Amino acid sequence: MERRNSHQATSDYPHPFVHKLKLTRAQRIRGMVLGSILFPIRFFLAALCFLIMWPIARLRLAGLSEEERSRPVTTGWRRWLLHPIIRFLSRAVFFFLGFIWVRVKGRRAGHKEAPVLAVAPHSSFLDMLVLPETQLATVVSRSENQSIPVIGALLEFNQSVLVNRKNPESRKQAVVQIKERLTSNGYWPQMLMFPEGTTTNGTVLIKFKPGAFLAGVPVQPVLLHYPNKLDTVRWTHTGTTWVEALWHTCSQFYTNVTIEYLPVYTPSQKEKDDPNLYADNVQKLMAKALGIPATDHVMEGRVLTRKLGGLSLPLEPPARETLSLLHKDGLRESEVEAALSNMIDRCQSEQGWRAGVDELAPLLGLTDRQTAAKICGLYSKDDMVDLRQIYLSVTSVSGLLGFKSLLHTAFTLYDRECSGSLTAVDVSDLMGALVGSPQYHTEELYTELSRRGAPTEQDLFRVLTTHPTYQKLISEYFTPEGAESTPPPSLTKGKLGNNNEGSPSDNGTALSYKTADNGSPLPSKKDD
């Protein structure tokens, strides 16, 4: 991986969750020939190691009571006999996969000196090769992995902290366990965490999750380098699959890896009091050492987002995917406009703004119920969806309305008390609808809006179009598909400022606006 200027703007770098291995024809032929020979041999030998580890790993806690299982196994035959065997076999797995040499730079601190090892960048499941080199430090894992053959036994052997991410109580209990272990003054072994929380293409460090920093204890940053001509190891949200990554890695004669231990980072009192500050500072330190940017991209649930003024902006906006699905179902631009008009009419009717999949299909003019279900899934976890979110987010990226008209519609829909002002909850819901993703941290925006009192429509328009942070939101996020993303010097001219007349759509169709009872503009096509 090439070193980059860490002070350059994040927007100059590729999407961190996309990695597609590009091979020349010669490299493909070479990979097919070597892969057909090396892959089956390596896969067989690695699988054999796992099968041998399976019963040995189960022995570590076999016959122990629940109370004994809740304590670290640090003495006796379960430690001096089983631990070296599992460590040796774990290293053998990666040796057989082509990681013949592991170069180590720096010194690994003891578990009392640094209870946590923070490893980055996180590239793929192959990053677990760091475990044998760290004396099988304990890890945090999803509870679902416990049911996977072999992996479940190894997690039990490791005495890992297991968490069900869908269960709030499980997450709370995991936090308690992590804090207890990290503050045990050496009673528990060292813990190893990947603070990014997901895999990236390594061009940036995404925002660190605070889990490794909650206890306020010293951490040792650990860098993973894969200095190879072909970057076969990485596996991200989009692009090369994990199967392809494994195939291409096994198709090489060997794969280089370097584990670099940085000096132990001891937090200040401010960092101890604020785990997010602590995490951000360690992220910046590691990014500087890697020569890549530290960004605010995060993974929230299954949605990839970036932070902007407290807002969480999906890197893959659901509105763009919705437009794509509508077009794939055969809807033309004029039919999309009509569907949006039907949707806003429904929001203003007695039926309200919530609809199920069976209601959504005819509203959008869809012939395929599955398409409606997919669109519903982009905005909701159940079978009911907020039509305001679909209407506002799709309209914001389609260019069918000028920004001021769009904002007026949004303000009217979320001014629940018809008071001409918004509450903090209203602002959160409104911004969530505009970007198509729930917003939970709009305090910064609300504070800016409330400088002159309760936020009005004029305040919202002023802040979003003049504040440097939120101008980026307009120019980068509310840009119609296919248009250039350039920050407008003013929103009083051109398409975004055309607030009295309809804005032309991409195909040149002019729009006018009919007005609902509450004054919000509703799109309708002009008569021919």
Side-chain angles (χ1 to χ4, degrees):
M1 180 174 59
E2 296 180 0
R3 297 178 70 87
R4 302 175 185 268
N5 182 356
S6 61
H7 299 291
Q8 225 172 322
T10 304
S11 58
D12 292 343
Y13 295 87
H15 191 311
F17 301 104
V18 175
H19 175 69
K20 184 65 177 177
L21 182 63
K22 296 180 180 179
L23 302 172
T24 64
R25 178 176 295 182
Q27 289 171 332
R28 288 185 181 279
I29 294 173
R30 178 176 177 272
M32 290 175 64
V33 173
L34 290 178
S36 61
I37 299 171
L38 294 175
F39 184 85
I41 296 174
R42 286 176 164 171
F43 185 82
F44 171 77
L45 292 174
L48 183 62
C49 289
F50 275 121
L51 288 175
I52 296 173
M53 281 193 282
W54 195 349
I56 297 175
R58 289 295 187 195
L59 283 175
R60 185 166 200 177
L61 300 183
L64 297 182
S65 65
E66 286 299 320
E67 183 181 352
E68 290 172 320
R69 285 169 174 256
S70 66
R71 298 196 296 265
V73 177
T74 55
T75 58
W77 65 272
R78 297 175 190 269
R79 173 71 184 186
W80 62 259
L81 176 62
L82 301 183
H83 193 273
I85 294 175
I86 295 296
R87 186 189 173 205
F88 172 80
L89 290 171
S90 298
R91 178 65 187 91
V93 167
F94 292 101
F95 178 87
F96 290 136
L97 291 179
F99 296 91
I100 299 173
W101 303 281
V102 176
R103 184 185 178 196
V104 177
K105 294 175 64 177
R107 178 189 68 87
R108 182 175 68 90
H111 60 293
K112 288 187 177 181
E113 186 182 356
V116 187
L117 299 174
V119 184
H122 191 14
S123 301
S124 76
F125 57 93
L126 294 172
D127 290 344
M128 297 310 292
L129 63 83
V130 73
L131 274 177
E133 307 301 327
T134 58
Q135 300 294 321
L136 301 180
T138 59
V139 298
V140 179
S141 178
R142 296 183 302 172
S143 58
E144 296 92 327
N145 293 338
Q146 198 173 19
S147 61
I148 301 176
V150 184
I151 300 300
L154 291 174
L155 289 174
E156 181 180 286
F157 176 91
N158 186 258
Q159 292 187 283
S160 306
V161 175
L162 301 176
V163 55
N164 183 341
R165 295 178 180 178
K166 298 179 181 179
N167 186 331
E169 287 303 315
S170 176
R171 293 199 300 269
K172 290 179 182 178
Q173 184 59 36
V175 169
V176 171
Q177 278 187 275
I178 292 171
K179 285 184 175 180
E180 286 179 353
R181 293 191 181 194
L182 297 184
T183 56
S184 65
N185 194 29
Y187 177 67
W188 279 95
Q190 208 166 34
M191 291 196 76
L192 183 149
M193 297 189 189
F194 295 95
E196 289 178 290
T198 190
T199 57
T200 73
N201 57 24
T203 56
V204 302
L205 282 189
I206 64 173
K207 190 175 180 65
F208 282 6
K209 294 183 180 296
F213 311 94
L214 289 172
V217 296
V219 305
Q220 183 169 31
V222 182
L223 307 180
L224 278 182
H225 306 271
Y226 294 99
N228 302 286
K229 290 183 179 178
L230 283 179
D231 195 356
T232 64
V233 173
R234 303 191 194 281
W235 168 46
T236 57
H237 176 74
T238 303
T240 303
T241 66
W242 70 269
V243 175
E244 291 173 324
L246 184 60
W247 169 271
H248 290 305
T249 299
C250 290
S251 299
Q252 308 303 311
F253 284 118
Y254 58 88
T255 302
N256 294 307
V257 60
T258 300
I259 299 172
E260 181 179 359
Y261 295 103
L262 298 182
V264 173
Y265 188 103
T266 302
S268 65
Q269 189 58 50
K270 283 187 177 180
E271 291 171 325
K272 290 180 181 179
D273 296 337
D274 186 351
N276 287 303
L277 174 64
Y278 188 5
D280 288 345
N281 289 341
V282 173
Q283 179 209 24
K284 292 173 184 175
L285 174 77
M286 296 177 73
K288 183 177 181 181
L290 288 164
I292 60 178
T295 75
D296 54 7
H297 294 91
V298 295
M299 174 76 87
E300 296 183 341
R302 293 185 178 182
V303 181
L304 308 170
T305 67
R306 56 169 295 209
K307 296 292 183 182
L308 183 66
L311 301 177
S312 298
L313 307 181
L315 295 186
E316 299 170 354
R320 298 197 190 280
E321 179 65 18
T322 298
L323 277 175
S324 176
L325 289 170
L326 292 176
H327 292 319
K328 285 180 181 178
D329 198 64
L331 271 68
R332 295 170 296 179
E333 294 294 334
S334 59
E335 292 169 323
V336 171
E337 295 172 24
L340 292 171
S341 181
N342 292 336
M343 195 172 295
I344 195 70
D345 285 341
R346 165 62 186 268
C347 289
Q348 300 291 347
S349 71
E350 294 182 357
Q351 292 176 282
W353 42 265
R354 287 188 64 80
V357 175
D358 292 328
E359 297 173 283
L360 186 61
L363 272 173
L364 293 174
L366 297 172
T367 56
D368 184 7
R369 185 184 183 279
Q370 283 299 108
T371 300
K374 288 179 182 178
I375 292 174
C376 184
L378 293 172
Y379 293 89
S380 176
K381 295 180 181 180
D382 52 39
D383 291 333
M384 298 295 291
V385 67
D386 187 336
L387 296 176
R388 298 173 299 179
Q389 289 186 352
I390 300 178
Y391 173 80
L392 291 171
S393 63
V394 171
T395 303
S396 70
V397 300
S398 65
L400 295 176
L401 284 182
F403 180 72
K404 191 170 186 179
S405 295
L406 174 68
L407 201 63
H408 175 68
T409 303
F411 191 94
T412 304
L413 288 172
Y414 285 93
D415 180 11
R416 295 179 176 84
E417 303 298 327
C418 299
S419 61
S421 62
L422 300 177
T423 65
V425 173
D426 294 335
V427 170
S428 178
D429 292 345
L430 183 150
M431 295 307 300
L434 284 176
V435 301
S437 179
Q439 301 299 314
Y440 303 108
H441 304 289
T442 54
E443 298 86 359
E444 181 180 330
L445 173 59
Y446 188 76
T447 299
E448 189 67 30
L449 292 171
S450 305
R451 292 186 182 278
R452 303 177 182 177
T456 64
E457 182 179 339
Q458 289 71 29
D459 292 327
L460 186 59
F461 180 75
R462 172 181 54 80
V463 170
L464 292 182
T465 56
T466 62
H467 191 284
T469 296
Y470 302 108
Q471 274 188 321
K472 292 181 182 179
L473 173 67
I474 306 301
S475 62
E476 296 177 12
Y477 205 82
F478 293 156
T479 303
E481 191 74 43
E484 292 185 4
S485 178
T486 54
S490 171
L491 294 180
T492 60
K493 297 180 181 180
K495 189 172 185 178
L496 290 179
N498 188 7
N499 302 313
N500 298 317
E501 298 178 358
S503 300
S505 63
D506 291 339
N507 63 359
T509 303
L511 297 177
S512 61
Y513 299 94
K514 58 183 179 180
T515 306
D517 293 339
N518 62 3
S520 65
L522 311 180
S524 64
K525 291 197 296 182
K526 283 184 178 179
D527 294 333
D528 294 332

